[in-house]
Amino acid sequence: MNTGRLVEGMEQHQIRLYLLAIVAGGLFGWLVPAAAEPLELSINPVLGLLLFATFLGIPFGKIGQAVRDVRFMATVMILNFLIVPVIVFTLSRFVADDQALLVGVMMVLLAPCIDYVIVFSGLAGGSSDRLLAAAPLLMLTQMLLLPLYLLIFIGPDLVSAIEPGPFIEALVVLIIIPLVAAALTQRWAGRALAARRIMALMQGLMVPLMMLTLAIVIGSQIVGVGQELRSLLAVIPIYIAFLVIMVPVGMVAARTARLDAGSTTAVVFSGATRNSLVVLPLALALPEPLALVALVVVTQTLVELLGMVTYVKALPRLIPRNITSHA
């Protein structure tokens, strides 16, 4: 099998491969608990590489045109940063008496996904190109608003215990550097074969990189999840409820904006899929009394990936393909 067919085959079966990576990472982490620390240290480098590959797919030359797609952009931004926070605050009341669970639920559910949401949306017939163009704006906005939301919803006393350093480091290392590197590589590709080869290589590595990231994240945290399973069971119904609620909410938001079927699917996925992989390094940097937060975030990843499999099967049936966009 040549490289092209191999990449195509991986893309065709990527959901199964992601689930396989989760199982493999979980088994390795459980059987070799001493590997947890080195795996945890490798999360940021692998995640940064994954985001670089993701950002390479963003048509930077067309971002101006994408931003001018006012109805889609406005719908995604309003849904994620005005409507979702209200839903998250309501659902979080069920764990409001436990600080670590509350902070974990808030951190992960308030941050919209900017990586594998593009993949899952595309598999369900969503407008992945629009989500790609929206990714930088979604990421930068959540990094700015997440501390504010935590301050409002959790209170200044608890937020004061959270150091701003990890947030700034994550913004620079995981977002700004990969984003600038991707933009420069794209520009370089217009006149250099080496840059075009880098872009082709990274595109071919997208599925393996996502598998590696998921395996490392799960492997590094699975022992802790097992040890705190009783506490973590409290957040699973919240995550499931969020996934269920966001389907009609996203559809209504898209219908209000009079978006077509592909954009409606993309809006639903954007509202439901959370940025757990990027939030996790922030959670790992929290002080010891909030150590459980990282496991709360990882639990969301596990629930969400199963939810995304359901979304891919269900949303094409729930969203009529004959919906057209209206100016």
Side-chain angles (χ1 to χ4, degrees):
M1 180 182 291
N2 61 38
T3 303
R5 291 181 62 188
L6 178 61
V7 171
E8 184 179 344
M10 287 191 298
E11 290 178 348
Q12 184 178 356
H13 299 289
Q14 56 191 295
I15 292 180
R16 293 173 185 171
L17 291 172
Y18 296 157
L19 295 176
L20 178 63
I22 289 173
V23 172
L27 283 174
F28 179 76
W30 188 263
L31 295 173
V32 190
E37 185 174 348
L39 286 175
E40 190 172 300
L41 291 173
S42 66
I43 289 175
N44 274 9
V46 173
L47 184 55
L49 195 58
L50 172 65
L51 291 174
F52 171 64
T54 301
F55 291 147
L56 276 176
I58 295 175
F60 287 99
K62 298 181 180 179
I63 281 183
Q65 178 183 344
V67 171
R68 288 195 294 273
D69 188 355
V70 176
R71 282 186 291 128
F72 179 80
M73 283 291 186
T75 303
V76 167
M77 297 299 285
I78 290 170
L79 177 64
N80 278 296
F81 299 114
L82 292 180
I83 297 173
V84 165
V86 175
I87 295 170
V88 171
F89 178 78
T90 303
L91 291 174
S92 70
R93 298 306 88 196
F94 292 99
V95 291
D97 58 340
D98 188 307
Q99 287 189 343
L101 296 183
L102 178 62
V103 172
V105 167
M106 287 284 186
M107 284 184 69
V108 71
L109 291 187
L110 288 171
C113 183
I114 50 93
D115 39 56
Y116 62 59
V117 62
I118 298 164
V119 172
F120 285 113
S121 176
L123 291 173
S127 300
S128 297
D129 54 338
R130 288 176 169 173
L131 283 180
L132 264 172
L137 187 59
L138 284 171
M139 188 64 238
L140 293 173
T141 303
Q142 69 186 264
M143 296 301 290
L144 293 173
L145 290 183
L146 184 57
L148 177 62
Y149 285 140
L150 293 176
L151 181 65
I152 294 172
F153 293 152
I154 299 176
D157 292 340
L158 189 55
V159 173
S160 63
I162 301 175
E163 293 293 331
F167 286 86
I168 297 172
E169 180 182 350
L171 178 63
V172 173
V173 174
L174 297 179
I175 305 303
I176 294 178
I177 292 177
L179 188 62
V180 171
L184 291 175
T185 302
Q186 273 194 22
R187 186 171 182 179
W188 183 31
R191 56 181 183 273
L193 178 61
R196 292 195 290 274
R197 286 178 174 171
I198 290 173
M199 291 185 65
L201 174 64
M202 296 309 297
Q203 182 180 4
L205 289 175
M206 275 294 297
V207 174
L209 278 173
M210 179 62 75
M211 292 175 64
L212 181 61
T213 303
L214 291 171
I216 287 174
V217 167
I218 301 304
S220 68
Q221 304 298 316
I222 191 65
V223 172
V225 170
Q227 293 171 345
E228 299 288 348
L229 185 59
R230 181 171 296 182
S231 298
L232 295 172
L233 286 175
V235 300
I236 292 177
I238 294 175
Y239 295 149
I240 294 173
F242 181 78
L243 287 169
V244 172
I245 290 169
M246 290 313 301
V247 173
V249 170
M251 290 176 66
V252 169
R255 183 179 302 172
T256 301
R258 295 179 294 177
L259 299 177
D260 60 26
S263 296
T264 298
T265 302
V267 165
V268 173
F269 270 94
S270 179
T273 314
R274 304 290 89 190
N275 215 5
S276 56
L277 297 180
V278 175
V279 168
L280 182 60
L282 306 180
L284 290 169
L286 293 175
E288 182 60 31
L290 297 175
L292 186 60
V293 171
L295 302 180
V296 175
V297 172
V298 171
T299 302
Q300 192 275 339
T301 304
L302 296 171
V303 173
E304 179 176 271
L305 285 170
L306 295 175
M308 290 301 99
V309 174
T310 305
Y311 267 39
V312 168
K313 302 290 185 182
L315 285 185
R317 301 177 183 179
L318 294 174
I319 299 173
R321 294 293 97 185
N322 59 357
I323 297 178
T324 56
S325 177
H326 298 283

